[in-house]
Amino acid sequence: MRRGYIDWLRGMSVVIMIEAHTLDAWTRLDARHNSTYGWAMIVAGFAAPAFLFLAGIALALAAGSRLRRGNTASETAALARRRALQIFGLAFLFRLQSWLISGGDPVQAMLKVDILNIMGLSMLAAALLWSAGRTRWDRAAWMVAATVAVAMVTPIVRATPLISPLPDPIEWYIRPIPGRGTFTLFPWSGFLLAGVAIGLWLDTARSPAVERRINVALAAIGLLVAAGGYAASFLPALYRDSSFWTTSPTFFFLRAGILILSLPVAYAWNALWTGRSVLQEFGQASLFVYWIHVELAYGVLSGPIHKTLTLGQAFAAYAVFAIALFGAAKLKNQVVDWWNTGRLQPSGAL
């Protein structure tokens, strides 16, 4: 079954992602030194972890569905690996599109590491760990252990000189280099692995009552993990070379706890809101929206307004841009429906 609250949460992540990129690309530098912009960027920082976390949940739910349809464990793992490689391949297609539109050094443009690169490799790692377990809970234990390991070794990996001899394009996947990408496997892959563990648990729900009990438990776990991460931030640092906002395990677990907590929040909201959900539609079109909006926000098409807007103007532009992107997603659905069926569907159809 399709869980509408997960689509809703993915749609909320899309809205946050658009906010992150438009404010970053279009706000004047002298308009950023205030608490409003600061809090907006803190919220923006949850978009990428949320997409990775939800991709992990989707991977686990898809695997469970395939097993119930009769696929063997090896077939299911192979399909998961193939999907991971598809996402990784799409990352390079996305970079090619960006270079064709905006130009620049083709080698650097193609090899820049973005979230799709990390998502694809993280999904591949999750598929391999999934194969290592024989039961659902074995697999969940592998995912939790890998999540903790990724978070705890991130400061060490970022600081070690041992990876310096690696070719630059490989090092960029491990340690961020300015201008070559923000996303790295450490710690970002941990969010996807955590999502797989949660997805394996959600996949056990065979009735609304069980789904509700799991979400109640997730609310408690999310609060505990987030509170633990926050409390640990006041303790002496375990690592000599660590930054709270980038490599600290405490910040990782704070965000992971909030992401886990966001699931029962979305579940409760969707239980109360029974009408048509724009956010669910946005969530179902998340890859399409990501694909088109990054270049529109940062590329040559919006060049004249790059870093020229006041904060108020940037928020207004963000709202208009988000509405336009939703319209583009609806139009895309109409075109796909027409292509598949030869006729347009009613505008309210998903």
Side-chain angles (χ1 to χ4, degrees):
M1 65 175 178
R2 188 168 189 121
R3 290 166 167 82
Y5 66 95
I6 294 179
D7 283 332
W8 184 92
L9 190 56
R10 189 177 290 110
M12 182 61 73
S13 302
V14 169
V15 172
I16 295 173
M17 171 185 67
I18 299 168
E19 176 251 328
H21 291 154
T22 53
L23 293 189
D24 178 61
W26 300 345
T27 305
R28 278 178 8 200
L29 296 179
D30 62 355
R32 304 182 184 210
H33 305 295
N34 56 74
S35 60
T36 301
Y37 185 84
W39 278 108
M41 289 298 101
I42 290 175
V43 172
F46 280 91
F51 279 121
L52 292 165
F53 180 71
L54 293 170
I57 292 176
L59 189 70
L61 294 177
S65 177
R66 288 171 182 138
L67 289 174
R68 288 190 294 276
R69 292 201 303 265
N71 290 87
T72 65
S74 59
E75 289 171 340
T76 299
L79 289 169
R81 291 194 299 269
R82 186 172 72 178
R83 179 56 176 166
L85 293 174
Q86 287 174 346
I87 295 296
F88 190 62
L90 285 174
F92 292 97
L93 185 59
F94 177 79
R95 300 308 312 165
L96 176 61
Q97 170 194 271
S98 178
W99 174 70
L100 289 174
I101 295 174
S102 294
D105 184 327
V107 175
Q108 292 185 3
M110 289 299 298
L111 296 180
K112 181 179 179 180
V113 180
D114 215 330
I115 189 170
L116 290 179
N117 303 74
I118 298 304
M119 183 180 291
L121 292 181
S122 300
M123 290 172 67
L124 183 60
L128 295 173
L129 287 171
W130 191 92
S131 298
R134 294 183 177 274
T135 68
R136 181 191 309 274
W137 302 117
D138 283 345
R139 292 161 183 153
W142 275 109
M143 300 302 166
V144 172
T147 299
V148 174
V150 166
M152 298 306 293
V153 304
T154 292
I156 300 172
V157 170
R158 292 283 191 94
T160 180
L162 297 177
I163 65 173
S164 298
L166 292 173
D168 287 347
I170 296 178
E171 184 181 355
W172 300 341
Y173 282 88
I174 303 172
R175 182 161 53 202
I177 305 297
R180 301 295 180 265
T182 302
F183 300 101
T184 55
L185 290 170
F186 300 90
W188 295 96
S189 63
F191 294 113
L192 187 139
L193 296 169
V196 177
I198 298 299
L200 286 164
W201 190 8
L202 286 174
D203 192 55
T204 64
R206 297 290 179 269
S207 69
V210 174
E211 186 102 9
R212 183 169 57 253
R213 286 198 296 271
I214 291 174
N215 274 279
V216 170
L218 287 174
I221 292 171
L223 281 171
L224 183 63
V225 173
Y230 180 72
S233 68
F234 293 97
L235 299 177
L238 293 175
Y239 305 90
R240 183 181 62 185
D241 298 313
S242 179
S243 168
F244 177 77
W245 296 106
T246 55
T247 62
S248 169
T250 57
F251 187 45
F252 174 89
F253 288 114
L254 173 59
R255 286 194 289 182
I258 292 172
L259 290 173
I260 295 170
L261 181 60
S262 69
L263 278 170
V265 170
Y267 176 84
W269 176 263
N270 278 258
L272 296 173
W273 182 272
T274 58
R276 173 173 170 267
S277 174
V278 169
L279 283 176
Q280 284 184 9
E281 294 187 53
F282 233 173
Q284 292 166 11
S286 59
L287 181 57
F288 171 77
V289 175
Y290 170 81
W291 196 275
I292 66 171
H293 97 282
V294 174
E295 191 61 31
L296 290 173
Y298 287 104
V300 295
L301 296 177
S302 60
I305 62 170
H306 286 179
K307 294 181 172 58
T308 65
L309 304 183
T310 66
L311 187 56
Q313 291 169 337
F315 272 113
Y318 154 58
V320 173
F321 190 40
I323 294 170
L325 288 169
F326 179 74
K330 294 290 289 182
L331 178 61
K332 185 268 296 182
N333 289 342
Q334 290 287 303
V335 171
V336 171
D337 289 337
W338 173 81
W339 182 266
N340 290 334
T341 66
R343 60 188 178 87
L344 293 177
Q345 301 296 322
S347 60
L350 298 183

